[in-house]
Amino acid sequence: MRPPFDRKSALAKVQAAEDAWNSRDPHRVARAYSIDSQWRNRDQFFVGREAITEFLTDKWQRELDYRLEKELWSFTENRISVRFEYEWHDATGQWFRTHGNEHWEFDDDGLMQRRDMSANDVAIEPTERRLVDAATN
């Protein structure tokens, strides 16, 4: 899916991103980004697919049984904004729900050239989980 986006293509782009991130495969996710993609993830700033792959590899070693849902918030010709929630637990078994938003900018080939993410983590009890599927139980 390449810009310019309409509602249908923006929704498809968001679903494709959700599916890729839920695979927890850093290489699969990184392929959706341009070679020189610029990221801000909370307080971290980095550039490029190699850095994205390293970041995601580390993330999913710490954030276990990660499960994500994304929701289209808005879009323009080459930008999409989403809100998201994901749940995960750490090595001690403490569960968290992370709430946030992302702003994406795409190049002409449909690769994300810029990702700006803000999020907050909230500790939850296992009984409070909402994003439950067979893969995490």
Side-chain angles (χ1 to χ4, degrees):
M1 295 152 280
R2 296 176 180 204
F5 297 116
D6 59 19
R7 182 164 179 75
K8 182 178 177 181
S9 61
L11 285 167
K13 199 71 152 168
V14 171
Q15 187 62 58
E18 179 180 303
D19 293 345
W21 280 72
N22 279 325
S23 76
R24 292 176 256 166
D25 178 346
H27 298 285
R28 176 180 172 187
V29 173
R31 285 192 300 268
Y33 298 87
S34 65
I35 296 294
D36 58 351
S37 185
Q38 299 175 26
W39 274 40
R40 181 185 68 81
N41 197 89
R42 301 178 193 236
D43 62 348
Q44 295 180 301
F45 296 81
F46 48 93
V47 175
R49 280 190 190 155
E50 185 175 325
I52 293 167
T53 301
E54 289 174 17
F55 170 82
L56 294 172
T57 298
D58 181 58
K59 172 185 181 66
W60 289 321
Q61 288 174 351
R62 291 178 290 103
E63 296 180 1
L64 307 173
D65 292 323
Y66 174 98
R67 175 77 171 92
L68 165 75
E69 287 187 357
K70 291 184 183 282
E71 175 188 1
L72 176 65
W73 194 257
S74 65
F75 66 92
T76 63
E77 291 78 19
N78 72 329
R79 292 181 174 168
I80 296 175
S81 290
V82 299
R83 66 163 299 281
F84 64 84
E85 287 186 4
Y86 63 87
E87 294 176 347
W88 55 281
H89 66 85
D90 63 16
T92 71
Q94 174 62 59
W95 280 92
F96 296 88
R97 182 174 302 116
T98 301
H99 302 265
N101 58 66
E102 296 176 335
H103 306 297
W104 305 338
E105 182 177 79
F106 296 88
D107 66 16
D108 292 340
D109 293 322
L111 297 173
M112 196 181 302
Q113 62 189 10
R114 184 172 164 203
R115 175 182 177 265
D116 191 75
M117 182 272 229
S118 298
N120 299 296
D121 303 318
V122 178
I124 61 172
E125 295 297 321
T127 57
E128 296 176 287
R129 293 183 57 215
R130 296 193 296 239
L131 306 180
V132 179
D133 65 19
T136 60
N137 288 311

